[in-house]
Amino acid sequence: MKYEFQPIGIIQSCFKEKFGIPRQSGLIPEAEAILTILPPYNRAEAFRDIEGYSHLWLSFVFHAAIRDQWKPTVRPPRLGGNQRVGVFATRSPFRPNPIGLSVVKLIDLDISAQQIKLKLGGVDLLDGTPVLDIKPYVPYSDAIPDAEAGFAPTPPGREIQLSFSRQAESELQKHSAEQVIQLKRLIYQMLSNNPRPSYLEQEKRNRFGMRLYDFNIIWEVEDDRYLITELSPLSDQPFA
């Protein structure tokens, strides 16, 4: 049997590359995205009453992790990248069918003419991600407080010290106070979840960079102290 699916929408995310994306949704509340619905699914009646739900399930394609062959075991970052476990015991993007599932916060629904956009929060989605389906999150059935979580029983993250260089602060001054607060919160939450691959930690590498919104961000890390050394725009467009 073979099945084919058409995306119902495309994600425009603050994460422009895979490095730095949280390993689960909800870990970084400030991580936002816009889901633009594609024709013929951009009909207002298809979204009637969706605003009554605070959170949504998204089924999507790991479009940047598609491989010709699948492997039965993977090395999850939670185990340091050194131990193999069964692919079906993980949420690795490298799967027989590269389909992901995330719970995201519905911040806003914008319906105008034939265009429908959903503003989402707490995302773990790469820019350009194709979305296959949307379903409401229902707390009484979807939340199981006493469920067991295997080798990932507790959430990642820790308190860190974050500072910005003079250059980075100067660049931030070009934007509104609201935008600066949002970006600083996003950077803090991202770094407190430690996006570094474990093998780079073992190599004692302390300088990293990534794209976030339309910025290129360079930082240095020593223990739990992070310094944003450089923050440069990739375009003249606002990042919010």
Side-chain angles (χ1 to χ4, degrees), residues 101-118:
L101 186 65
S102 290
V103 174
V104 297
K105 182 178 181 180
L106 177 59
I107 298 175
D108 187 39
L109 174 65
D110 182 13
I111 299 178
S112 57
Q114 291 299 310
Q115 190 173 67
I116 296 179
K117 294 187 176 184
L118 290 78

Side-chain angles (χ1 to χ4, degrees), residues 76-237:
R78 192 61 181 267
L79 296 177
N82 298 316
Q83 181 177 338
R84 285 194 173 275
V85 301
V87 64
F88 298 121
T90 77
R91 297 191 180 187
S92 167
F94 303 106
R95 319 189 66 79
N97 296 302
I99 298 173
L101 186 65
S102 290
V103 174
V104 297
K105 182 178 181 180
L106 177 59
I107 298 175
D108 187 39
L109 174 65
D110 182 13
I111 299 178
S112 57
Q114 291 299 310
Q115 190 173 67
I116 296 179
K117 294 187 176 184
L118 290 78
K119 185 176 183 180
L120 308 172
V123 304
D124 58 347
L125 303 167
L126 179 65
D127 192 57
T129 294
V131 173
L132 300 177
D133 198 13
I134 303 169
K135 291 184 175 71
Y137 177 89
V138 181
Y140 72 79
S141 63
D142 294 346
I144 306 175
D146 58 349
E148 297 183 3
F151 59 80
T154 58
R158 64 192 190 282
E159 295 294 327
I160 64 171
Q161 298 178 34
L162 177 62
S163 58
F164 292 77
S165 70
R166 182 175 300 178
Q167 183 279 332
E169 289 287 3
S170 177
E171 178 60 36
L172 288 172
Q173 290 177 6
K174 300 177 183 178
H175 303 277
S176 70
E178 182 179 356
Q179 290 174 321
V180 171
I181 292 172
Q182 192 267 339
L183 183 60
K184 284 189 172 183
R185 285 177 177 169
L186 174 58
I187 293 174
Y188 180 90
Q189 292 169 5
M190 181 193 70
L191 296 180
S192 67
N193 279 278
N194 192 10
R196 295 174 291 167
S198 59
Y199 70 89
L200 292 181
E201 292 186 64
Q202 295 167 4
E203 293 175 2
K204 304 301 182 183
R205 177 176 165 183
N206 66 351
R207 185 175 174 85
F208 300 87
M210 69 171 292
R211 287 181 59 194
L212 197 63
Y213 283 113
D214 286 323
F215 289 106
N216 186 51
I217 299 175
I218 307 295
W219 75 85
E220 295 179 355
V221 55
E222 182 177 352
D223 297 324
D224 288 336
R225 298 187 299 276
Y226 289 76
L227 171 65
I228 306 300
T229 59
E230 183 179 345
L231 194 153
S232 54
L234 298 173
S235 72
D236 295 330
Q237 300 297 319

